[in-house]
Amino acid sequence: MPELPEVETIKNDLCKVACGKKILRVQIYNAKVIRQMRPSDFKKLLEGKFIRSIFRRGKLLILELSSGKFLTVHFKMTGQLVLRKSRPKRPATSICRVSFALNAGLTLDFNDQRLFGELRIVGDWRELKFIQTLGPEPFDLTFSSFKDMLLKRKTEIKPLLLDQKFIAGIGNIYAAEILFRAKINPRARAQNIKAAKQRLLYQQMQKVLTSAIKHGGSSVDDYVRVSGKNGDYAQYHQVYNRQGQPCFSCKTLIKRLAQGGRGTYFCPRCQA
DNA sequence: AATGGGACCTGCGCGC
DNA sequence: TGCGCGCAGGTCCCAT
């Protein structure tokens, strides 16, 4: 499920092939993913426009159009953007929801198994409610302000890392991987984390996210890159989805617990 | 502010 | 074999 490193990878991949391209035609196969707008208006606002630039905020992908408006893409759990170097009549898969025909014979498919994904066209992406309440980007954060943020919160650290209002872009996989590497128990209260662990948490957050971007993200479940290929970071996962298997560091069995209705994976010994 | 639930969806794996 | 159930997770929304 695309988190910050996956969306960053999609952004980087897509920049290389789609920046400067013209959107010739938009095919809508399932209008559910188009939010707050009639499908006919969605088509009208895109067809004939150029993609001027592509960037990311949190888990949101943002395409700047030559009209001055923005196309925003939220992948939620199962969204994908996949490029095909052909112009076939039919969608490549049954889960293709919207297909963008670009010049140079390219087709960009928005696939989404579960229809949670969201495509919007907005005048100013900064005015989206989701953006206005979003916390800081992990890479923009200094240790000093991160520490202050932790000290203000009594809640458990793992659900806090998932809270996009607290910090933008971290999801269930990276929350688990970051906490393992920082040797912090997922149930620890943010406020009570000792100074040395605060520092380690900050460092590992940067390190894990940077490394995951370098490896093109984690392909678990549905995530693929724009090329259709998998990201390579899942091989470096230490705890995510490894309940019942031995910790790579101490051989203790990895545990799973539920926090806020979400699965949390951790080593009970390394993260005591 | 914290916490818990349901809603949105569909495929999968489980137990019977 | 086949059926029903719970689970998976990102975000919003409502209630306490």
Side-chain angles (χ1 to χ4, degrees):
Chain A
M1 42 281 354
E3 306 179 25
L4 186 154
E6 288 74 32
V7 181
E8 182 71 13
T9 300
I10 292 168
K11 184 208 80 180
N12 291 336
D13 288 353
L14 203 55
C15 268
K16 287 181 208 144
V17 291
C19 273
K21 294 285 192 304
K22 188 176 183 176
I23 301 169
L24 302 176
R25 215 167 122 62
V26 179
Q27 286 267 8
I28 299 169
Y29 299 106
N30 192 321
K32 211 160 259 183
V33 297
I34 295 162
R35 309 292 168 143
Q36 297 170 334
M37 180 175 292
R38 293 208 309 265
S40 55
D41 293 331
F42 184 82
K43 280 170 73 100
K44 205 175 298 173
L45 287 166
L46 289 175
E47 289 179 348
K49 309 300 185 295
F50 289 85
I51 299 168
R52 207 186 263 165
S53 66
I54 305 176
F55 51 102
R56 177 194 63 74
R57 176 80 171 92
K59 300 174 192 169
L60 191 72
L61 186 75
I62 304 163
L63 291 82
E64 184 197 5
L65 305 168
S66 51
S67 60
K69 293 186 186 291
F70 298 89
L71 168 63
T72 68
V73 181
H74 203 302
F75 298 94
K76 293 290 178 84
M77 266 88 71
T78 54
Q80 307 172 330
L81 275 176
V82 178
L83 192 80
R84 289 186 289 156
K85 293 181 177 159
S86 63
R87 190 66 57 63
K89 282 206 196 86
R90 295 178 180 284
T93 78
S94 61
I95 59 166
C96 178
R97 309 309 185 185
V98 179
S99 198
F100 304 88
L102 309 179
N103 58 342
L106 301 173
T107 306
L108 185 64
D109 288 338
F110 180 72
N111 304 330
D112 187 15
Q113 175 73 256
R114 294 175 63 181
L115 296 171
F116 283 5
E118 299 182 352
L119 303 180
R120 290 171 208 273
I121 298 171
V122 293
D124 187 351
W125 62 274
R126 283 155 290 229
E127 284 171 11
L128 285 169
K129 198 186 164 202
F130 171 72
I131 292 294
Q132 299 224 326
T133 57
L134 208 53
E137 289 287 320
F139 296 128
D140 290 347
L141 208 48
T142 62
F143 172 65
S144 160
S145 57
F146 182 62
K147 185 189 69 180
D148 291 344
M149 286 161 59
L150 289 175
L151 289 174
K152 275 188 242 163
R153 304 295 292 260
K154 296 186 204 303
T155 193
E156 292 174 344
I157 185 62
K158 195 271 186 164
L160 187 60
L161 291 178
L162 289 186
D163 182 354
Q164 302 299 296
K165 295 177 189 67
F166 179 74
I167 193 161
I170 296 174
N172 213 33
I173 296 173
Y174 294 105
E177 295 300 319
I178 290 165
L179 287 173
F180 173 80
R181 287 162 174 83
K183 302 184 193 298
I184 295 172
N185 190 285
R187 306 201 62 177
R189 301 276 163 182
Q191 219 165 49
N192 300 340
I193 295 173
K194 303 266 196 303
K197 291 280 177 85
Q198 290 173 344
R199 175 76 68 178
L200 200 54
L201 177 56
Y202 176 79
Q203 288 168 343
Q204 290 302 319
M205 177 172 73
Q206 314 279 335
K207 210 172 154 183
V208 167
L209 295 176
T210 302
S211 177
I213 291 166
K214 189 180 144 201
H215 289 92
S218 302
S219 282
V220 296
D221 300 329
D222 296 79
Y223 166 73
V224 290
R225 301 177 64 157
V226 168
S227 62
K229 295 199 172 98
N230 284 341
D232 293 328
Y233 191 71
Q235 61 179 304
Y236 301 102
H237 291 180
Q238 303 289 303
V239 288
Y240 183 77
N241 221 4
R242 293 197 64 245
Q243 73 274 29
Q245 299 175 50
C247 173
F248 293 130
S249 175
C250 77
K251 311 288 183 230
T252 302
L253 299 188
I254 300 301
K255 269 198 174 157
R256 179 189 186 279
L257 60 86
Q259 282 179 296
R262 299 281 174 264
T264 295
Y265 306 90
F266 71 111
C267 171
R269 182 153 170 210
C270 296
Q271 298 170 264

